[in-house]
Amino acid sequence: MFPAVGQLIRRSAVVICSLVCGRGGSRRAEGHLLEPQIQEQSPSAVMRRNPFAAEACCPKGSHNALQELYNPTQAEFSGTAFLHQTRRDQVMETCRAYGSSGRKRRVLTPADLKHLVVDDEHELLYCYVPKVACTNWKRVMMVLTGRGKYGDPMEIPSSEAHVPANLKTLNQYSVPEINHRLKSFLKFLFVREPFERLVSAYRNKFTLKYNASFHKRFGTRIVRRYRRNATQEALQGGADVRFQEFAEYLVDPATLREGPLNEHWETVYSLCHPCHIRYDLVGKYETLEDDSNYVLRLAGVGEYLRFPTYAKSTRTTDQMAAEFFHNISARQQAQLYQLYKLDFLMFNYSTPSYLKVD
């Protein structure tokens, strides 16, 4: 069975992260602690007030976000809290169902935590998933952690949102500091129907001229491997990768042997490790604004900060995904589904009706 908590290794030190999760703080993390100074505690025991430094922007209430989620002080939160409990349960059930007691435990290192953005002021941990509104969420996190430097998320250029130095990630902390944040901060991520996310990544990285770096880094490799009689222009530029070629690249065992997939098409399971880190809140792209503003209200900043809205005309839809998948073979469709199967099951997305799989 997948462990409910992650094991962190840093040099020779080994520590199992103790994660708090459950209804009203009653559920405790599974596993055993290897460092006696780190004790499991209920959410109420680890909660404490930690006001935002720039109070003029975003003052906090008496609850922190984690406590407000499991023990809401506002009646309007109760129904939403139940929704997110069902999403947490779905993740846990999938981890149990697809874990294997005979399989060697997956060990997480601090390097595995590079996608978890830290907001120490509001006690939030956000695992960003590319192609799931992560640019806007990074902008929001810059406002929350900027100590008054930023006011409107949409005034932050998208290029600035992706500069690593502008946000602090969990892998930059010591192991005890990592454990503390995993125990007592609200941990959340946002997910999307896996094939819509995949097609969105393809459209963005391989069909737009401004992504020349992706064309060079991945496009030339894909054309060289999977296109017969490729032109010299295609071999050198890699700017016209077809979706069928991209699909073949993803399911090729040689690709997997080369290392992890690029974050834009890597599985959420591999980016955020939801079978090791118990996320308190799973937001969905399909209910993006409602779920995002719920997080902000839990953090006590909802009256001052709203999640950015933007035009939906360019979003990749289920219909678009169906058109792209229509042009690839049943074999590739089945292999892609197997690659993203855990994301489908874990986040309760049904198998697309357009797939040619049994």
Side-chain angles (χ1 to χ4, degrees), residues 41-301:
Q41 301 178 60
S42 67
S44 59
V46 298
M47 297 310 133
R48 64 187 187 286
R49 186 172 182 176
N50 185 7
F52 186 36
E55 291 186 0
C57 166
C58 309
K60 288 190 60 177
S62 58
H63 273 40
N64 81 348
L66 187 64
Q67 191 172 26
E68 189 62 47
L69 174 65
Y70 291 115
N71 298 286
T73 59
Q74 301 182 48
E76 64 177 294
F77 288 166
S78 299
T80 309
F82 179 76
L83 166 66
H84 288 284
Q85 178 65 55
T86 63
R87 292 180 182 177
R88 288 193 297 274
D89 289 345
Q90 179 71 24
V91 172
M92 293 174 61
E93 289 167 8
T94 303
C95 290
R96 290 193 182 107
Y98 286 84
S100 172
S101 58
R103 182 182 301 173
K104 184 177 180 181
R105 280 193 171 193
R106 168 74 167 89
V107 175
L108 294 182
T109 68
D112 290 313
L113 306 176
K114 62 184 179 182
H115 272 251
L116 277 87
V117 177
V118 181
D119 174 4
D120 281 319
E121 288 80 6
H122 299 88
E123 300 184 346
L124 301 175
L125 289 178
Y126 160 58
C127 186
Y128 71 89
V129 178
K131 308 311 300 177
V132 192
C134 81
T135 301
N136 279 349
W137 255 112
K138 285 182 176 181
R139 286 167 164 153
V140 169
M141 294 298 281
M142 288 175 67
V143 172
L144 290 174
T145 60
R147 299 180 182 274
K149 181 178 179 181
Y150 308 101
D152 181 356
M154 295 310 291
E155 291 180 353
I156 303 172
S158 60
S159 58
E160 284 295 304
H162 295 294
V163 174
N166 286 338
L167 290 167
K168 197 164 185 179
T169 49
L170 194 57
N171 61 306
Q172 298 172 23
Y173 291 78
S174 69
V175 170
E177 290 171 333
I178 288 171
N179 279 323
H180 166 69
R181 284 158 179 79
L182 286 172
K183 284 172 58 178
S184 55
F185 284 21
L186 184 141
K187 303 170 291 296
F188 69 99
L189 76 164
F190 276 76
V191 300
R192 184 179 186 178
E193 201 277 345
F195 286 165
E196 287 184 25
R197 176 175 169 248
L198 180 62
V199 171
S200 177
Y202 166 77
R203 292 177 64 208
N204 181 260
K205 300 306 178 186
F206 293 108
T207 69
L208 301 177
K209 292 183 179 180
Y210 68 78
N211 273 323
S213 62
F214 270 81
H215 304 160
K216 282 285 188 180
R217 183 179 175 188
F218 297 102
T220 54
R221 185 187 316 172
I222 291 172
V223 170
R224 184 172 62 251
R225 287 185 183 177
Y226 309 111
R227 186 179 303 179
R228 294 181 180 179
N229 304 317
T231 66
Q232 282 301 310
E233 181 181 3
L235 289 169
Q236 294 175 7
D240 62 342
V241 170
R242 301 158 187 159
F243 188 71
Q244 299 95 312
E245 296 167 337
F246 179 53
E248 190 66 30
Y249 166 75
L250 291 175
V251 301
D252 189 339
T255 301
L256 301 179
R257 288 195 297 268
E258 291 171 352
L261 296 174
N262 180 268
E263 64 178 14
H264 291 84
W265 45 83
E266 180 61 280
T267 63
V268 177
Y269 171 79
S270 297
L271 290 176
C272 295
H273 313 287
C275 287
H276 295 75
I277 299 172
R278 285 191 175 174
Y279 288 91
D280 304 291
L281 191 145
V282 177
K284 291 200 169 187
Y285 191 75
E286 296 77 14
T287 52
L288 174 63
E289 292 175 18
D290 287 345
D291 291 345
S292 297
N293 287 319
Y294 178 56
V295 173
L296 296 177
R297 292 200 305 273
L298 290 173
V301 300

Side-chain angles (χ1 to χ4, degrees), residues 321-338:
E323 292 172 0
F324 279 93
F325 272 76
H326 179 73
N327 295 321
I328 67 175
S329 68
R331 174 187 63 85
Q332 286 180 323
Q333 290 189 10
Q335 289 176 315
L336 283 173
Y337 181 77
Q338 286 301 314

